[in-house]
Amino acid sequence: MEWNELLIRYGEISLKGRNRNVFVKKLRNNIKKALSDLPTVALKSERDRMFLFADDKRDMDEAIVRLPHIFGIQSFSPVAKCEATLDAIKAKALDVIGAGETAGKTFKVEIRRTDKSFPLETGELQQEIAAHVLKSFPELIVQMRKPEVLLHVEIRSEGAFLTAKVHKGAAGMPVGSNGHSLLMLSGGIDSPVAGYLMMKRGVSIDAIHFASPPFTSEMSKKKVMDLAEKLSSFGAAVRLHIIPFTEIQQTIVSQVPDNVSMTTTRRLMLQIADQVREEIGALAIVTGESLGQVASQTLESLTAINAVTATPILRPLIASDKLDIIEIAQKIGTYDISIQPYEDCCTIFSPSNPKTKPKLEKVMHYESFTDFAPMLEEAVQNRITVDLPLQQVDEFDDLL
Ligand code: ATP
Ligand code: MG
C-alpha cells in the first residue's frame, strides 16, 4: 500500500500557550532526528497535529516503524489521498481497508467535508462507500459505536484523504521539552527504569555511575554502558560520566562506623553527582529509589542522604512495586542487562547491618573527622565520559 502522508496527533491537550509551542517544536526536531537517515521525509506542523510526507515508499514504511517509539506522539495514521470523486474514493477505500486487518472486525465509515461543493450528501456518501467496502470485505460487521475499523474520509478542495488504522504512539512528552537532568545509574533494575520514565516525561538525561575498580569489574562497567546505550534509544543521546570511587569508598570503610557507612556513601555520591550536575547545567538529579526497598530507602535514610543538597531529587519509582518496575524493565529491554551478575560498588562495600533509621547529626559527626572535599573534587575531575549517540530502535516494538 502506498501512503501519501502520515497524520500525527499530539497528546497533552492541556498544554497551553508557550508550552505548546515548545512541545511542538521539540517534537518536530526529535522526529527529524529519529528519521534523519531517511532522505525523502518532510514534516509540516500545525497547532494540534503534524503531517509527515515521504516520496520514497521505503522511507514512509520505515517512518511507520519508528514513530511508535517517539515520546510526545499520542497516535498516528497513514493517510491515502485521491481525487475527490465518488469512484476514486470508493477504489481508494478498498486499498485502505485491505491494508489492515478485517477478519471479524467492527466497521464504520465517517465523512468530514470541508469542500461543500461535493455533489452527494454526507449520509448518502457514507452509505455508498460502506456498501462498496462491505461487498469486498463481507466479514466486516457494521457498528456505529466504537468500531474497530473506522474509515475516515475527509473531503477537501485539494482532494479526498482516507485513513483507517490508528497506530498507538508512545505518549508522554518530547524528550528535551522538560529540561535536562542527571540520572544516577547503577547496574541494577531500578535506575534505568527511572531514567526511561523521566525521558518519557520529556526530560533529557546525562547519566552518572560510580565504579570502584578493581572491586568492581570491567564487565560491570560494560553493563552500565549497555544500559546507557539502551536509554539512548528513547529519543536522545545520553552522556555517561563514570566516577572513580574506589579511594572514597575505602576511606569511608576505614573512617566511618559500619552501620552508617551506607548513608555516608550515598551522601558522598550525591555530592559528587551534584557537582557534575552543576557543571553540565542540569537542573535535577534522578534516582531509582523506591520507598522501603532497602535500608537506604527508608524516609529516615532518604532524609539523611538528601541533606547534602537543595537540588531537586526526582524519584519516579518512589511509590512503585518491584514487580511493576520489573515489568517496565522487561518492556524497555533493560531487564536482561540489569540481571547480569556483575556487582556494583554499593553491593561490594555494603555493611551487614546498615541502619534503617540513621540520625543525621550522628552521620555528620562521624563524617566530620575526615576531609572528604578534596577527594570529591578529584573524583569529579577524573571522571571518564562516554557518549552514547541516539540509537535507532528496532527490537522492542512491544513498548506500549
Ligand atoms: P538500582 O536497581 O537502580 O540499583 P537498588 O534498588 O539497587 O536500585 P540502591 O542500590 O539502594 O537501590 O540504589 C538506589 C539508587 O542509588 C539507584 O537507583 C541509583 O539511582 C543510585 N545508585 C546506586 N548505586 C549507584 C552507582 N554505583 N552508580 C550510580 N548510581 C547509583
Ligand atoms: Mg543497586
Side-chain angles (χ1 to χ4, degrees):
M1 175 72 201
E2 292 250 355
W3 299 107
N4 297 86
E5 58 191 48
L6 300 180
L7 163 63
I8 299 170
R9 303 174 192 88
Y10 316 145
E12 301 291 338
I13 39 179
S14 58
L15 277 173
K16 299 209 176 67
R18 243 197 97 238
N19 278 352
R20 175 172 283 274
N21 295 340
V22 172
F23 180 105
V24 174
K25 232 171 140 179
K26 204 70 197 179
L27 179 59
R28 187 194 165 94
N29 258 331
N30 289 357
I31 295 175
K32 264 193 180 162
K33 267 194 243 159
L35 308 180
S36 61
D37 57 329
L38 311 178
T40 69
V41 166
L43 290 167
K44 190 178 110 196
S45 38
E46 293 178 0
R47 215 189 106 74
D48 47 13
R49 57 188 193 174
M50 201 178 290
F51 291 95
L52 183 152
F53 309 93
D55 287 341
D56 188 333
K57 177 179 171 353
R58 283 167 305 181
D59 286 358
M60 186 62 96
D61 290 346
E62 185 59 25
I64 293 174
V65 172
R66 293 188 197 172
L67 284 187
H69 303 285
I70 300 175
F71 294 131
I73 296 176
Q74 204 65 23
S75 68
F76 67 95
S77 294
V79 182
K81 185 182 172 189
C82 67
E83 228 182 302
T85 65
L86 184 59
D87 285 347
I89 295 172
K90 278 178 167 176
K92 205 46 128 182
L94 296 188
D95 290 348
V96 168
I97 295 294
E101 267 190 47
T102 52
K105 300 268 181 198
T106 52
F107 165 71
K108 176 188 172 181
V109 177
E110 183 181 79
I111 310 279
R112 194 173 150 207
R113 23 195 298 171
T114 46
D115 179 17
K116 301 290 177 205
S117 68
F118 197 78
L120 288 181
E121 286 299 322
T122 301
E124 287 172 287
L125 190 55
Q126 197 176 10
Q127 280 185 0
E128 281 272 350
I129 297 170
H132 187 69
V133 168
L134 289 167
K135 235 185 283 165
S136 296
F137 299 95
E139 68 277 21
L140 288 169
I141 306 152
V142 174
Q143 179 178 304
M144 290 300 116
R145 275 201 68 232
K146 296 197 174 171
E148 290 160 302
V149 179
L150 176 67
L151 176 65
H152 181 88
V153 182
E154 191 169 324
I155 299 169
R156 299 183 220 150
S157 52
E158 64 275 26
F161 297 80
L162 289 76
T163 62
K165 188 170 166 65
V166 178
H167 296 259
K168 216 172 151 194
M173 302 179 83
V175 179
S177 65
N178 271 330
H180 192 67
S181 290
L182 180 63
L183 168 69
M184 295 180 68
L185 183 62
S186 70
I189 295 168
D190 304 327
S191 42
V193 173
Y196 161 81
L197 290 175
M198 291 319 299
M199 291 176 89
K200 182 167 181 183
R201 204 59 208 156
V203 175
S204 61
I205 57 167
D206 272 30
I208 184 169
H209 176 71
F210 297 83
S212 297
F215 304 102
T216 58
S217 63
E218 273 299 304
M219 289 309 286
S220 77
K221 200 160 93 185
K222 166 86 169 50
K223 178 181 171 183
V224 171
M225 290 206 274
D226 288 348
L227 287 170
E229 182 175 60
K230 206 47 147 185
L231 289 176
S232 71
S233 66
F234 296 107
V238 172
R239 173 170 283 182
L240 171 65
H241 305 258
I242 301 175
I243 303 286
F245 202 53
T246 317
E247 191 196 340
I248 296 176
Q249 244 176 346
Q250 287 171 323
T251 310
I252 298 170
V253 170
S254 67
Q255 301 297 321
V256 177
D258 230 24
N259 57 6
V260 297
S261 68
M262 164 71 88
T263 313
T264 294
T265 305
R266 299 298 171 161
R267 284 162 56 84
L268 298 182
M269 279 181 163
L270 190 52
Q271 285 177 61
I272 291 173
D274 206 28
Q275 286 181 28
V276 172
R277 176 204 61 76
E278 189 158 6
E279 264 188 39
I280 62 172
L283 289 181
I285 292 172
V286 179
T287 75
E289 286 156 327
S290 175
L291 196 62
Q293 228 186 55
V294 288
S296 60
Q297 296 175 22
T298 61
L299 279 181
E300 290 82 357
S301 279
L302 292 177
T303 306
I305 296 164
N306 217 149
V308 299
T309 178
T311 299
I313 314 287
L314 308 178
R315 302 179 173 96
L317 301 177
I318 198 72
S320 296
D321 291 346
K322 192 73 183 186
L323 287 179
D324 295 335
I325 299 172
I326 288 176
E327 198 177 316
I328 302 176
Q330 284 168 334
K331 273 191 195 157
I332 65 174
T334 54
Y335 184 74
D336 288 340
I337 306 172
S338 292
I339 58 171
Q340 289 168 13
Y342 319 109
E343 306 272 12
D344 77 13
C345 59
C346 309
T347 337
I348 290 164
F349 287 92
S350 68
S352 50
N353 60 336
K355 271 215 185 314
T356 52
K357 296 186 176 182
K359 291 262 176 316
L360 180 57
E361 308 77 62
K362 282 226 166 111
V363 176
M364 288 174 71
H365 170 75
Y366 290 127
E367 287 173 6
S368 69
F369 299 102
T370 312
D371 185 12
F372 286 106
M375 277 184 259
L376 301 187
E377 203 158 300
E378 200 183 318
V380 170
Q381 268 167 14
N382 292 342
R383 72 185 189 271
I384 295 166
T385 58
V386 186
D387 281 311
L388 290 315
L390 174 63
Q391 301 291 306
Q392 295 303 354
V393 277
D394 44 38
E395 74 270 45
F396 42 93
D397 42 5
D398 186 29
L399 197 61
L400 311 163

